[in-house]
């Protein structure tokens, strides 16, 4: 008897991290579905082995076919600051819409956000606050998850290949001094988290230090604190975003996602 390979959906598949996640997922032998808005662009950028699912995370009515039958989802969404791609509509609502489209499916989730997102820094249209809210939706979903908050992309030296997992989100300078990591290693960690039991319900900042890459990330995941069951924020996060002061639409979304988890 043969076992079908895991089907992984990559959301944000043509972005600078998403493309590497697609390649990493294919390299591991997974059936890899790329959610894209532009099939022609995806055809130019993604490996031929990738399945293409044309949809738009800002249009919930397009998502049901893209998420059908998946075993895992990697979310690497990133808004571009235009009128049609704001932090609220893409980084936050894109995650909300994917979770709502699952309709009872329970895939493993790996969400990429950002180091420093608990700083309450208002830069880029409160991008970090909206990413933090997307994390809260994932925790409220009741799905098995891992949340990765990478440092600054591709600013590591050639000998900085040792991933370091941090918690507490205490590095908030909004500069590379917070930590650096290659895009390729971010993709490797996101895909590794999908099958590592030690990664479940963990949230952490990801940077690199001098040293070689490990052959097994399991011990790194296992050394982290798990997020508390039912908690909105990650283990060790500063409690500086009280729910009662959140916009009503955000509280309504959390209740809706929780209701789906209990359905």
């Amino acid at each position: 008897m043969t076992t079908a390979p895991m089907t992984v959906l990559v959301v944000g598949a043509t972005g600078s991290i998403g493309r590497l996640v697609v390649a990493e997922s294919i390299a591991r032998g997974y059936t890899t579905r790329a959610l894209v808005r532009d099939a022609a662009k995806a055809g130019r950028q993604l490996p031929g082995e990738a399945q293409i699912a044309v949809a738009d995370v800002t249009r919930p009515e397009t998502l049901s076919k893209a998420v059908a039958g998946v075993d895992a989802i990697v979310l690497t969404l990133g808004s571009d600051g235009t009128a049609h791609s704001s932090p609220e509509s893409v980084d936050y609502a894109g995650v909300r819409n994917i979770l709502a489209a699952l309709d009872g499916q329970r895939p493993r989730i790996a969400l990429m956000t950002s180091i420093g997102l608990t700083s309450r820094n208002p830069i880029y249209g409160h991008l970090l606050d909206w990413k933090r809210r997307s994390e809260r939706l994932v925790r409220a979903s009741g799905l098995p998850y891992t949340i990765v908050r990478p440092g600054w992309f591709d600013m590591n030296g050639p000998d900085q290949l040792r991933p370091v997992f941090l918690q507490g989100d205490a590095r908030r300078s909004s500069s590379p001094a917070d930590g650096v990591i290659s895009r390729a290693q971010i993709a490797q960690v996101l895909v590794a988290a999908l099958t590592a039991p030690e990664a479940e319900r963990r949230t952490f900042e990801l940077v690199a230090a001098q040293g070689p890459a490990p052959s097994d990330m399991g011990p790194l995941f296992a050394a982290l604190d798990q997020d508390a069951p039912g908690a909105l924020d990650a283990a060790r996060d500063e409690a500086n975003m009280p729910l009662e002061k959140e916009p009503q639409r955000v509280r309504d979304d959390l209740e809706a996602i929780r209701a789906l988890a209990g359905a």
Side-chain angles (χ1 to χ4, degrees), residues 184-254:
Q185 280 199 300
I186 297 168
Q188 290 164 8
V189 171
L190 287 165
V191 178
L194 299 177
T195 53
E198 307 93 334
E200 185 169 340
R201 220 170 72 234
R202 261 83 172 182
T203 302
F204 59 95
E205 296 82 60
L206 171 62
V207 299
Q210 192 173 38
S215 58
D216 178 11
M217 294 187 190
L220 293 173
F221 290 126
L224 299 169
D225 290 343
Q226 278 192 310
D227 298 338
L232 289 179
D233 288 324
R236 305 192 198 182
D237 275 0
E238 181 181 354
N240 60 355
M241 185 185 268
L243 182 61
E244 63 271 19
K245 293 186 178 179
E246 284 286 89
Q248 184 61 50
R249 63 188 184 282
V250 170
R251 286 182 279 165
D252 290 344
D253 286 342
L254 279 168

Side-chain angles (χ1 to χ4, degrees), residues 1-245:
M1 187 176 74
T2 59
T3 302
M6 183 166 75
T7 297
V8 177
L9 175 68
V10 183
V11 183
T14 57
S16 67
I17 307 292
R19 292 196 298 272
L20 297 171
V21 171
V22 170
E24 178 70 17
S25 177
I26 291 171
R28 287 176 178 252
Y30 304 146
T31 300
T32 304
R33 189 181 301 168
L35 191 155
V36 303
R37 287 181 298 170
D38 185 336
K41 177 181 178 182
R44 294 190 299 271
Q45 295 186 342
L46 300 179
E49 299 95 324
Q51 298 178 355
I52 303 300
V54 178
D56 184 339
V57 297
T58 68
R59 297 173 55 211
E61 71 277 11
T62 69
L63 297 174
S64 59
K65 187 175 179 180
V67 303
V70 298
D71 301 296
I73 301 175
V74 182
L75 295 137
T76 63
L77 291 167
S79 55
D80 62 16
T82 65
H84 300 292
S85 180
S86 69
E88 179 174 357
S89 67
V90 173
D91 298 84
Y92 168 74
V95 175
R96 178 198 65 198
N97 294 339
I98 289 288
L99 295 174
L102 290 172
D103 193 26
Q105 296 181 88
R106 293 188 55 79
R108 185 72 175 257
I109 302 292
L111 171 66
M112 184 189 79
T113 56
S114 174
I115 199 168
L117 89 172
T118 63
S119 65
R120 305 308 314 265
N121 188 327
I123 59 171
Y124 307 127
H126 293 275
L127 170 65
L128 297 176
D129 281 349
W130 287 111
K131 284 186 174 293
R132 186 175 182 180
R133 291 172 181 132
S134 75
E135 291 190 355
R136 288 178 160 187
L137 290 172
V138 169
R139 296 190 189 98
S141 73
L143 298 171
Y145 70 84
T146 306
I147 296 173
V148 181
R149 301 166 167 173
W152 288 65
F153 301 166
D154 282 350
M155 301 186 77
N156 53 307
D159 61 344
Q160 288 180 290
L161 300 174
R162 181 171 64 85
V164 177
F165 295 179
L166 306 168
Q167 290 184 293
D169 197 35
R171 298 185 180 188
R172 298 174 173 178
S173 72
S174 298
S175 78
D178 292 335
V180 296
I181 184 77
S182 73
R183 286 177 167 87
Q185 280 199 300
I186 297 168
Q188 290 164 8
V189 171
L190 287 165
V191 178
L194 299 177
T195 53
E198 307 93 334
E200 185 169 340
R201 220 170 72 234
R202 261 83 172 182
T203 302
F204 59 95
E205 296 82 60
L206 171 62
V207 299
Q210 192 173 38
S215 58
D216 178 11
M217 294 187 190
L220 293 173
F221 290 126
L224 299 169
D225 290 343
Q226 278 192 310
D227 298 338
L232 289 179
D233 288 324
R236 305 192 198 182
D237 275 0
E238 181 181 354
N240 60 355
M241 185 185 268
L243 182 61
E244 63 271 19
K245 293 186 178 179

